[in-house]
Coordinates of all heavy atoms in Angstrom, one line a residue:
M1 N -31.6 -8.0 -28.5 CA -31.4 -7.5 -27.2 C -32.3 -8.2 -26.2 O -33.5 -8.4 -26.3 CB -31.6 -6.1 -27.2 CG -31.4 -5.3 -25.9 SD -31.6 -3.6 -26.1 CE -30.8 -3.1 -24.6
A2 N -31.9 -8.5 -25.1 CA -32.5 -9.4 -23.9 C -33.3 -8.2 -23.2 O -32.8 -7.2 -22.9 CB -31.6 -10.1 -23.1
N3 N -34.4 -8.6 -22.7 CA -35.3 -7.9 -21.9 C -35.3 -8.7 -20.5 O -35.7 -9.7 -20.5 CB -36.7 -7.9 -22.5 CG -37.7 -7.2 -21.7 OD1 -37.4 -6.3 -20.8 ND2 -39.0 -7.4 -21.9
T4 N -34.8 -8.1 -19.5 CA -34.7 -8.6 -18.2 C -35.7 -8.0 -17.2 O -35.8 -6.8 -17.0 CB -33.2 -8.6 -17.7 OG1 -32.4 -9.1 -18.6 CG2 -33.2 -9.3 -16.4
L5 N -36.4 -9.0 -16.5 CA -37.4 -8.5 -15.5 C -37.2 -9.5 -14.2 O -36.3 -10.3 -14.3 CB -38.8 -8.6 -16.0 CG -39.2 -8.0 -17.3 CD1 -40.4 -8.5 -18.0 CD2 -39.4 -6.5 -17.0
S6 N -38.0 -9.2 -13.3 CA -37.8 -10.1 -12.0 C -39.2 -10.5 -11.5 O -40.2 -9.8 -11.8 CB -37.1 -9.5 -10.9 OG -37.5 -8.3 -10.5
T7 N -39.2 -11.5 -10.8 CA -40.5 -12.1 -10.1 C -40.1 -12.9 -8.9 O -39.0 -13.2 -8.6 CB -41.3 -12.9 -11.1 OG1 -42.6 -13.0 -10.4 CG2 -40.8 -14.2 -11.4
V8 N -41.0 -13.3 -8.1 CA -40.9 -14.3 -7.0 C -41.7 -15.5 -7.3 O -42.9 -15.4 -7.6 CB -41.2 -13.7 -5.7 CG1 -41.1 -14.6 -4.5 CG2 -40.2 -12.5 -5.4
L9 N -41.1 -16.6 -7.2 CA -41.8 -17.9 -7.3 C -41.6 -18.7 -6.0 O -40.5 -18.4 -5.3 CB -41.3 -18.8 -8.5 CG -41.3 -18.2 -10.0 CD1 -40.8 -19.2 -10.8 CD2 -42.8 -17.8 -10.3
F10 N -42.6 -19.5 -5.6 CA -42.4 -20.3 -4.3 C -42.0 -21.8 -4.7 O -42.6 -22.3 -5.5 CB -43.7 -20.3 -3.7 CG -44.0 -19.1 -3.0 CD1 -44.6 -17.9 -3.7 CD2 -43.5 -18.7 -1.6 CE1 -44.9 -16.7 -3.1 CE2 -43.8 -17.5 -1.1 CZ -44.4 -16.4 -1.7
I11 N -40.7 -22.0 -4.3 CA -40.1 -23.3 -4.5 C -40.2 -24.0 -3.1 O -39.5 -23.6 -2.2 CB -38.8 -23.3 -4.9 CG1 -38.7 -22.3 -6.2 CG2 -38.2 -24.7 -5.3 CD1 -39.5 -22.8 -7.4
E12 N -41.0 -25.1 -3.0 CA -41.2 -25.8 -1.7 C -41.6 -24.8 -0.6 O -40.9 -24.8 0.5 CB -40.0 -26.6 -1.4 CG -39.6 -27.7 -2.4 CD -38.4 -28.4 -2.2 OE1 -37.7 -28.2 -1.1 OE2 -37.9 -29.2 -3.0
D13 N -42.5 -23.9 -0.9 CA -42.9 -23.0 0.1 C -41.8 -21.9 0.5 O -42.2 -21.1 1.3 CB -43.6 -23.5 1.3 CG -44.8 -24.5 1.0 OD1 -45.6 -24.1 0.2 OD2 -45.0 -25.6 1.6
V14 N -40.9 -21.9 -0.3 CA -39.8 -20.8 0.0 C -39.9 -19.8 -1.1 O -39.8 -20.2 -2.2 CB -38.4 -21.5 0.1 CG1 -37.4 -20.4 0.4 CG2 -38.3 -22.5 1.2
P15 N -40.1 -18.6 -0.8 CA -40.0 -17.4 -1.8 C -38.5 -17.3 -2.5 O -37.6 -17.2 -1.7 CB -40.5 -16.1 -1.1 CG -40.1 -16.4 0.4 CD -40.2 -17.9 0.6
V16 N -38.6 -17.5 -3.7 CA -37.4 -17.3 -4.5 C -37.4 -16.3 -5.6 O -38.4 -16.2 -6.4 CB -37.0 -18.7 -5.2 CG1 -35.7 -18.6 -6.1 CG2 -36.9 -19.8 -4.1
G17 N -36.5 -15.3 -5.5 CA -36.4 -14.2 -6.5 C -35.8 -14.8 -7.8 O -34.8 -15.6 -7.7
Y18 N -36.4 -14.5 -8.8 CA -36.0 -15.0 -10.2 C -35.7 -13.7 -11.1 O -36.7 -12.9 -11.2 CB -37.1 -15.9 -10.9 CG -36.8 -17.3 -10.5 CD1 -37.5 -17.9 -9.4 CD2 -36.1 -18.3 -11.3 CE1 -37.4 -19.3 -9.0 CE2 -35.9 -19.5 -11.0 CZ -36.6 -20.2 -9.9 OH -36.5 -21.4 -9.6
M19 N -34.7 -13.8 -11.9 CA -34.6 -12.9 -13.1 C -35.2 -13.6 -14.2 O -35.0 -14.7 -14.4 CB -33.1 -12.8 -13.3 CG -32.4 -12.1 -12.1 SD -33.0 -10.5 -11.7 CE -32.6 -9.5 -13.1
I20 N -36.0 -12.8 -15.0 CA -36.6 -13.3 -16.2 C -36.1 -12.6 -17.4 O -36.1 -11.5 -17.4 CB -38.1 -13.1 -16.1 CG1 -38.7 -13.8 -14.9 CG2 -38.8 -13.6 -17.4 CD1 -40.1 -13.4 -14.7
T21 N -35.3 -13.4 -18.2 CA -34.7 -12.9 -19.4 C -35.5 -13.4 -20.7 O -35.4 -14.6 -20.9 CB -33.2 -13.2 -19.4 OG1 -32.7 -12.8 -18.2 CG2 -32.4 -12.5 -20.6
E22 N -35.9 -12.6 -21.4 CA -36.5 -13.0 -22.8 C -35.6 -12.6 -23.8 O -35.0 -11.5 -24.0 CB -37.9 -12.0 -22.9 CG -38.5 -12.3 -24.3 CD -39.7 -11.3 -24.6 OE1 -39.6 -10.2 -24.1 OE2 -40.5 -11.8 -25.4
E23 N -35.3 -13.6 -24.6 CA -34.4 -13.4 -25.8 C -34.9 -14.4 -26.9 O -35.0 -15.6 -26.6 CB -33.0 -13.8 -25.4 CG -32.0 -13.3 -26.2 CD -30.6 -13.2 -25.6 OE1 -30.4 -13.8 -24.5 OE2 -29.6 -12.7 -26.3
N24 N -35.0 -13.9 -28.0 CA -35.5 -14.6 -29.2 C -36.7 -15.4 -28.9 O -37.8 -14.7 -28.7 CB -34.3 -15.6 -29.8 CG -33.1 -14.8 -30.1 OD1 -33.3 -13.6 -30.6 ND2 -31.9 -15.5 -29.9
D25 N -36.8 -16.7 -28.9 CA -38.0 -17.4 -28.8 C -38.3 -18.1 -27.5 O -39.1 -18.9 -27.4 CB -38.1 -18.3 -29.9 CG -37.0 -19.5 -29.8 OD1 -36.0 -19.3 -29.1 OD2 -37.2 -20.5 -30.5
H26 N -37.5 -17.7 -26.5 CA -37.6 -18.3 -25.2 C -37.5 -17.3 -24.0 O -36.9 -16.3 -24.3 CB -36.5 -19.4 -25.0 CG -35.2 -18.9 -24.9 ND1 -34.4 -18.7 -26.3 CD2 -34.3 -18.6 -24.0 CE1 -33.2 -18.4 -25.9 NE2 -33.1 -18.2 -24.6
V27 N -37.8 -17.8 -22.9 CA -37.9 -16.9 -21.6 C -37.0 -17.8 -20.7 O -37.5 -18.9 -20.4 CB -39.2 -16.6 -21.2 CG1 -39.0 -15.8 -19.9 CG2 -39.9 -15.7 -22.2
Q28 N -35.9 -17.2 -20.2 CA -35.1 -18.0 -19.2 C -35.5 -17.4 -17.7 O -35.4 -16.3 -17.5 CB -33.7 -17.6 -19.4 CG -32.7 -18.4 -18.5 CD -32.5 -19.8 -18.7 OE1 -32.6 -20.3 -19.9 NE2 -32.5 -20.6 -17.7
F29 N -35.7 -18.3 -16.9 CA -35.9 -18.0 -15.3 C -34.6 -18.5 -14.6 O -34.3 -19.7 -14.7 CB -37.1 -18.9 -14.8 CG -38.4 -18.3 -15.2 CD1 -39.0 -18.4 -16.5 CD2 -39.3 -17.6 -14.3 CE1 -40.2 -18.0 -16.9 CE2 -40.5 -17.2 -14.7 CZ -41.0 -17.3 -16.0
T30 N -33.9 -17.5 -14.0 CA -32.8 -17.7 -13.3 C -32.9 -17.3 -11.8 O -33.2 -16.1 -11.7 CB -31.5 -17.1 -14.0 OG1 -31.5 -17.4 -15.3 CG2 -30.2 -17.3 -13.3
P31 N -32.7 -18.1 -10.9 CA -32.8 -17.6 -9.5 C -31.8 -16.6 -9.2 O -30.6 -16.7 -9.7 CB -32.6 -18.9 -8.6 CG -32.3 -20.0 -9.6 CD -32.3 -19.5 -11.0
S32 N -32.1 -15.6 -8.4 CA -31.2 -14.5 -8.0 C -30.0 -15.1 -7.1 O -30.2 -16.2 -6.6 CB -31.9 -13.3 -7.3 OG -32.2 -13.8 -6.0
Q33 N -28.9 -14.4 -7.1 CA -27.8 -15.1 -6.3 C -28.1 -15.2 -4.9 O -27.7 -15.9 -4.1 CB -26.6 -14.3 -6.7 CG -26.5 -12.9 -6.1 CD -25.3 -12.0 -6.4 OE1 -24.8 -12.2 -7.5 NE2 -24.9 -11.2 -5.6
F34 N -29.0 -14.3 -4.3 CA -29.4 -14.3 -3.0 C -30.3 -15.3 -2.7 O -30.3 -15.8 -1.5 CB -29.9 -12.8 -2.6 CG -28.9 -11.8 -2.9 CD1 -29.2 -10.9 -4.0 CD2 -27.7 -11.6 -2.2 CE1 -28.3 -9.9 -4.3 CE2 -26.8 -10.6 -2.5 CZ -27.1 -9.8 -3.6
S35 N -31.3 -15.6 -3.6 CA -32.2 -16.6 -3.3 C -31.8 -18.0 -3.4 O -32.1 -18.9 -2.8 CB -33.4 -16.4 -4.3 OG -34.0 -15.2 -4.1
S36 N -30.8 -18.2 -4.2 CA -30.3 -19.6 -4.5 C -29.7 -20.2 -3.2 O -29.6 -21.4 -3.3 CB -29.3 -19.6 -5.6 OG -28.1 -18.8 -5.3
K37 N -29.4 -19.6 -2.2 CA -28.8 -20.1 -1.1 C -29.9 -20.7 -0.1 O -29.7 -21.5 0.7 CB -27.9 -19.1 -0.3 CG -26.8 -18.8 -1.2 CD -25.9 -17.7 -0.5 CE -24.7 -17.4 -1.4 NZ -24.2 -16.0 -1.3
A38 N -31.2 -20.3 -0.4 CA -32.3 -20.5 0.6 C -32.7 -21.9 0.4 O -33.2 -22.6 1.3 CB -33.4 -19.5 0.5
C39 N -32.7 -22.4 -0.9 CA -33.2 -23.8 -1.1 C -32.5 -24.1 -2.5 O -31.5 -23.5 -2.9 CB -34.6 -23.9 -1.3 SG -35.4 -22.8 -2.5
C40 N -33.0 -25.1 -3.2 CA -32.5 -25.5 -4.5 C -33.2 -25.2 -5.6 O -33.8 -26.0 -6.3 CB -32.2 -27.1 -4.4 SG -31.3 -27.6 -3.0
P41 N -33.4 -23.8 -5.9 CA -34.2 -23.5 -6.9 C -33.7 -23.8 -8.4 O -32.5 -23.7 -8.6 CB -34.4 -21.9 -6.8 CG -33.1 -21.5 -6.1 CD -32.7 -22.6 -5.3
P42 N -34.5 -24.3 -9.3 CA -34.0 -24.7 -10.6 C -34.0 -23.4 -11.6 O -34.8 -22.5 -11.4 CB -35.2 -25.6 -11.1 CG -36.4 -25.1 -10.4 CD -36.0 -24.6 -9.1
D43 N -33.0 -23.5 -12.4 CA -33.0 -22.6 -13.5 C -33.8 -23.3 -14.6 O -33.7 -24.5 -14.7 CB -31.6 -22.5 -14.2 CG -30.6 -21.7 -13.4 OD1 -30.8 -21.7 -12.1 OD2 -29.9 -21.0 -14.0
F44 N -34.5 -22.6 -15.4 CA -35.4 -23.3 -16.5 C -35.7 -22.3 -17.5 O -35.7 -21.0 -17.3 CB -36.6 -24.0 -16.0 CG -37.6 -23.0 -15.2 CD1 -38.6 -22.4 -15.9 CD2 -37.5 -22.8 -13.8 CE1 -39.6 -21.7 -15.2 CE2 -38.5 -22.0 -13.2 CZ -39.5 -21.4 -13.9
E45 N -36.0 -22.9 -18.6 CA -36.4 -22.0 -19.8 C -37.7 -22.4 -20.3 O -38.2 -23.6 -20.3 CB -35.4 -22.4 -20.9 CG -35.5 -21.7 -22.2 CD -34.4 -22.1 -23.2 OE1 -33.3 -21.6 -23.0 OE2 -34.7 -22.8 -24.2
V46 N -38.4 -21.5 -20.8 CA -39.8 -21.6 -21.3 C -39.9 -21.2 -22.8 O -39.5 -20.1 -23.1 CB -40.9 -20.9 -20.4 CG1 -42.3 -21.2 -21.0 CG2 -40.8 -21.2 -19.0
T47 N -40.5 -22.0 -23.6 CA -40.9 -21.7 -24.9 C -42.4 -21.7 -25.1 O -43.0 -22.6 -24.5 CB -40.0 -22.3 -26.1 OG1 -40.3 -23.7 -25.9 CG2 -38.6 -22.1 -26.0
I48 N -42.9 -20.9 -26.0 CA -44.4 -21.0 -26.3 C -44.5 -21.4 -27.8 O -44.0 -20.7 -28.6 CB -45.1 -19.6 -25.9 CG1 -44.8 -19.1 -24.5 CG2 -46.7 -19.7 -26.2 CD1 -45.2 -17.8 -24.2
E49 N -45.2 -22.4 -27.9 CA -45.5 -22.9 -29.3 C -47.0 -23.3 -29.4 O -47.4 -24.2 -28.6 CB -44.7 -24.3 -29.6 CG -43.2 -24.0 -29.6 CD -42.4 -25.3 -29.8 OE1 -43.1 -26.3 -29.8 OE2 -41.2 -25.2 -30.1
Q50 N -47.6 -22.5 -30.2 CA -49.1 -22.7 -30.5 C -49.8 -22.7 -29.2 O -50.6 -23.7 -29.0 CB -49.2 -24.0 -31.3 CG -48.6 -23.9 -32.6 CD -48.8 -25.2 -33.4 OE1 -49.1 -26.2 -32.9 NE2 -48.4 -25.1 -34.8
D51 N -49.7 -21.7 -28.3 CA -50.3 -21.7 -27.0 C -50.1 -22.7 -26.0 O -50.8 -22.8 -25.1 CB -51.9 -21.6 -27.2 CG -52.4 -20.4 -28.0 OD1 -51.7 -19.3 -27.9 OD2 -53.3 -20.4 -28.8
A52 N -49.0 -23.5 -26.2 CA -48.5 -24.5 -25.3 C -47.2 -24.0 -24.7 O -46.4 -23.5 -25.4 CB -48.3 -25.9 -25.8
Y53 N -47.0 -24.2 -23.4 CA -45.7 -23.8 -22.8 C -44.9 -25.1 -22.6 O -45.3 -26.1 -22.1 CB -46.0 -23.2 -21.4 CG -46.8 -21.9 -21.4 CD1 -48.1 -21.9 -21.5 CD2 -46.1 -20.7 -21.5 CE1 -48.8 -20.8 -21.6 CE2 -46.7 -19.5 -21.4 CZ -48.2 -19.6 -21.5 OH -48.8 -18.4 -21.6
H54 N -43.6 -24.9 -23.1 CA -42.6 -26.1 -23.0 C -41.5 -25.5 -22.1 O -40.9 -24.6 -22.1 CB -42.1 -26.4 -24.3 CG -43.2 -26.8 -25.3 ND1 -43.7 -28.0 -25.3 CD2 -43.8 -26.1 -26.2 CE1 -44.6 -28.0 -26.3 NE2 -44.8 -26.9 -26.8
F55 N -41.3 -26.4 -21.0 CA -40.2 -26.2 -20.0 C -39.1 -27.1 -20.2 O -39.2 -28.3 -20.4 CB -40.8 -26.5 -18.5 CG -41.9 -25.4 -18.2 CD1 -43.2 -25.4 -18.6 CD2 -41.4 -24.4 -17.3 CE1 -44.0 -24.5 -18.3 CE2 -42.4 -23.4 -16.9 CZ -43.6 -23.5 -17.5
Q56 N -37.8 -26.5 -20.2 CA -36.7 -27.2 -20.4 C -35.6 -26.8 -19.3 O -35.3 -25.5 -19.2 CB -36.1 -27.0 -21.7 CG -35.0 -28.0 -22.1 CD -35.4 -29.4 -22.3 OE1 -36.3 -29.8 -21.5 NE2 -34.9 -30.1 -23.2
P57 N -35.1 -27.6 -18.3 CA -35.6 -28.9 -18.1 C -37.1 -29.0 -17.4 O -37.4 -27.9 -17.1 CB -34.5 -29.4 -17.1 CG -34.1 -28.3 -16.3 CD -34.2 -27.2 -17.4
S58 N -37.5 -30.1 -17.3 CA -38.8 -30.3 -16.7 C -38.7 -29.7 -15.2 O -37.8 -29.9 -14.5 CB -39.3 -31.7 -16.7 OG -40.6 -31.8 -16.2
V59 N -39.8 -28.9 -14.8 CA -40.0 -28.6 -13.3 C -41.3 -29.0 -12.8 O -42.0 -29.5 -13.5 CB -39.8 -27.0 -13.3 CG1 -38.4 -26.5 -13.7 CG2 -40.9 -26.4 -14.0
A60 N -41.4 -29.0 -11.5 CA -42.6 -29.4 -10.8 C -43.8 -28.6 -11.3 O -43.8 -27.5 -11.7 CB -42.5 -29.1 -9.3
E61 N -44.9 -29.2 -11.2 CA -46.3 -28.7 -11.7 C -46.6 -27.3 -11.1 O -47.0 -26.4 -11.8 CB -47.4 -29.7 -11.6 CG -47.3 -30.8 -12.5 CD -47.2 -30.5 -14.0 OE1 -48.0 -29.6 -14.3 OE2 -46.4 -31.1 -14.6
D62 N -46.3 -27.2 -9.7 CA -46.7 -26.0 -9.0 C -45.7 -24.8 -9.5 O -46.1 -23.7 -9.7 CB -46.6 -26.0 -7.6 CG -45.2 -26.4 -7.0 OD1 -44.5 -27.2 -7.6 OD2 -44.9 -25.9 -5.9
V63 N -44.4 -25.1 -9.9 CA -43.6 -24.1 -10.5 C -44.0 -23.7 -11.8 O -44.0 -22.5 -12.2 CB -42.2 -24.7 -10.4 CG1 -41.2 -23.6 -11.1 CG2 -41.6 -24.9 -9.0
K64 N -44.4 -24.7 -12.7 CA -45.0 -24.5 -14.0 C -46.1 -23.5 -13.9 O -46.2 -22.6 -14.7 CB -45.4 -25.7 -14.7 CG -44.2 -26.6 -15.2 CD -44.9 -27.8 -16.0 CE -43.7 -28.8 -16.4 NZ -44.2 -29.9 -17.1
A65 N -47.1 -23.8 -13.0 CA -48.3 -23.0 -13.0 C -47.9 -21.5 -12.5 O -48.4 -20.6 -13.1 CB -49.2 -23.5 -11.9
Q66 N -47.0 -21.3 -11.7 CA -46.5 -20.1 -11.3 C -45.9 -19.3 -12.4 O -46.0 -18.1 -12.6 CB -45.5 -20.1 -10.1 CG -46.1 -20.6 -8.7 CD -45.2 -20.7 -7.7 OE1 -44.7 -19.7 -7.2 NE2 -44.7 -21.9 -7.4
A67 N -44.9 -20.0 -13.1 CA -44.3 -19.4 -14.3 C -45.2 -19.0 -15.3 O -45.2 -17.8 -16.0 CB -43.2 -20.4 -14.8
I68 N -46.3 -19.9 -15.6 CA -47.2 -19.5 -16.7 C -48.1 -18.4 -16.3 O -48.3 -17.4 -17.1 CB -48.1 -20.7 -17.0 CG1 -47.3 -21.9 -17.7 CG2 -49.3 -20.4 -17.8 CD1 -48.0 -23.1 -17.8
S69 N -48.5 -18.3 -15.0 CA -49.2 -17.2 -14.5 C -48.4 -15.9 -14.6 O -48.9 -14.8 -15.1 CB -49.6 -17.4 -13.0 OG -50.2 -16.2 -12.6
T70 N -47.2 -16.0 -14.3 CA -46.2 -14.8 -14.4 C -46.0 -14.3 -15.8 O -46.2 -13.1 -16.1 CB -44.8 -15.1 -13.8 OG1 -45.0 -15.4 -12.4 CG2 -43.9 -14.0 -14.0
L71 N -45.8 -15.2 -16.8 CA -45.7 -14.9 -18.3 C -47.0 -14.3 -18.7 O -46.9 -13.3 -19.5 CB -45.3 -16.2 -19.0 CG -43.9 -16.7 -18.7 CD1 -43.7 -18.0 -19.5 CD2 -42.9 -15.7 -19.2
A72 N -48.2 -14.9 -18.3 CA -49.5 -14.2 -18.8 C -49.5 -12.8 -18.2 O -50.0 -11.9 -19.0 CB -50.6 -15.1 -18.3
Q73 N -49.2 -12.6 -17.0 CA -49.2 -11.1 -16.5 C -48.3 -10.2 -17.2 O -48.7 -9.1 -17.5 CB -49.0 -11.1 -15.0 CG -50.1 -11.8 -14.1 CD -49.7 -12.0 -12.7 OE1 -48.5 -11.5 -12.3 NE2 -50.4 -12.7 -11.9
L74 N -47.1 -10.7 -17.5 CA -46.0 -9.9 -18.1 C -46.5 -9.7 -19.6 O -46.3 -8.5 -20.1 CB -44.7 -10.5 -18.1 CG -44.1 -10.7 -16.7 CD1 -42.8 -11.5 -16.8 CD2 -43.8 -9.2 -16.1
H75 N -47.1 -10.6 -20.1 CA -47.7 -10.4 -21.5 C -48.7 -9.4 -21.5 O -48.7 -8.5 -22.4 CB -47.9 -11.7 -22.1 CG -48.6 -11.5 -23.6 ND1 -48.0 -10.9 -24.7 CD2 -49.9 -11.7 -23.9 CE1 -48.7 -10.9 -25.7 NE2 -50.0 -11.3 -25.3
A76 N -49.7 -9.5 -20.6 CA -50.9 -8.6 -20.5 C -50.3 -7.2 -20.4 O -50.9 -6.3 -20.8 CB -51.7 -9.0 -19.5
G77 N -49.3 -7.0 -19.5 CA -48.8 -5.7 -19.4 C -47.8 -5.1 -20.4 O -47.3 -4.2 -20.3
K78 N -47.7 -6.0 -21.5 CA -46.8 -5.7 -22.6 C -45.4 -5.6 -22.2 O -44.7 -4.7 -22.7 CB -47.3 -4.5 -23.3 CG -48.6 -4.6 -23.9 CD -49.2 -3.5 -24.7 CE -50.6 -3.6 -24.9 NZ -51.0 -4.0 -26.3
L79 N -44.9 -6.3 -21.2 CA -43.6 -6.2 -20.7 C -42.7 -7.3 -21.4 O -41.5 -7.3 -21.4 CB -43.4 -6.5 -19.2 CG -44.2 -5.4 -18.4 CD1 -44.2 -5.7 -16.9 CD2 -43.5 -4.0 -18.6
I80 N -43.4 -8.3 -21.9 CA -42.8 -9.4 -22.8 C -43.5 -9.6 -24.0 O -44.8 -9.3 -24.0 CB -42.4 -10.7 -22.0 CG1 -43.7 -11.4 -21.6 CG2 -41.5 -10.5 -21.0 CD1 -43.5 -12.8 -21.2
S81 N -42.9 -10.1 -25.1 CA -43.7 -10.5 -26.2 C -44.4 -11.8 -26.1 O -44.1 -12.5 -25.2 CB -42.9 -10.4 -27.5 OG -41.9 -11.5 -27.3
N82 N -45.3 -12.2 -26.9 CA -45.9 -13.4 -27.0 C -45.5 -14.2 -28.3 O -46.4 -14.5 -29.0 CB -47.4 -13.3 -26.8 CG -48.1 -14.7 -26.5 OD1 -47.4 -15.6 -26.0 ND2 -49.3 -14.8 -26.8
R83 N -44.3 -14.3 -28.5 CA -43.7 -14.9 -29.7 C -44.2 -16.4 -29.7 O -44.0 -17.1 -28.7 CB -42.2 -14.8 -29.8 CG -41.7 -13.5 -30.1 CD -40.3 -13.6 -30.3 NE -39.8 -12.1 -30.5 CZ -39.0 -11.6 -29.5 NH1 -38.7 -12.2 -28.4 NH2 -38.5 -10.4 -29.5
Q84 N -44.5 -16.9 -30.8 CA -44.8 -18.2 -31.0 C -44.2 -18.8 -32.2 O -44.1 -18.1 -33.2 CB -46.4 -18.4 -31.1 CG -47.2 -18.1 -29.8 CD -48.6 -18.3 -30.0 OE1 -49.1 -18.9 -31.0 NE2 -49.5 -17.8 -29.1
K85 N -43.7 -20.0 -32.1 CA -43.1 -20.7 -33.3 C -44.2 -21.2 -34.2 O -45.3 -21.5 -33.7 CB -42.2 -21.8 -32.9 CG -41.0 -21.4 -32.2 CD -40.1 -22.6 -31.9 CE -38.8 -22.2 -31.3 NZ -37.9 -23.3 -31.1

């Protein structure tokens, strides 16, 4: 069963709402339908392997940093698991 949460990431200094869906061994970041019109926010997936974060497709370093920070906060709050392969 998927666990769905939300957050805001800044893409080119524009706040973009993202739905975060955790399923199996990955976390999917999907821009909300309302935010996607403001700029060109990427959809991306994150997997955690041995304390390393892997992004597919690749995203800008500032977006990676924001996503990793968000995942750390969600994990600390026990809102997502910290599955590792």
Side-chain angles (χ1 to χ4, degrees):
M1 178 178 198
N3 180 19
T4 303
L5 302 162
S6 63
T7 192
V8 174
L9 301 180
F10 287 84
I11 310 297
E12 298 177 8
D13 296 324
V14 176
V16 176
Y18 271 88
M19 299 300 295
I20 301 172
T21 307
E22 177 188 27
E23 198 164 5
N24 299 324
D25 64 343
H26 64 273
V27 179
Q28 181 71 38
F29 283 74
T30 306
S32 72
Q33 66 184 35
F34 302 107
S35 296
S36 62
K37 295 176 182 149
C39 64
C40 303
D43 284 38
F44 58 93
E45 181 178 289
V46 181
T47 55
I48 303 169
E49 295 177 350
Q50 300 174 349
D51 296 325
Y53 294 89
H54 301 278
F55 289 77
Q56 193 66 326
S58 184
V59 294
E61 290 300 317
D62 64 322
V63 176
K64 284 183 184 181
Q66 292 175 74
I68 291 169
S69 176
T70 297
L71 292 172
Q73 291 171 7
L74 293 174
H75 175 67
K78 300 184 190 258
L79 297 173
I80 62 170
S81 64
N82 192 20
R83 292 187 187 105
Q84 296 182 9
K85 287 184 175 182

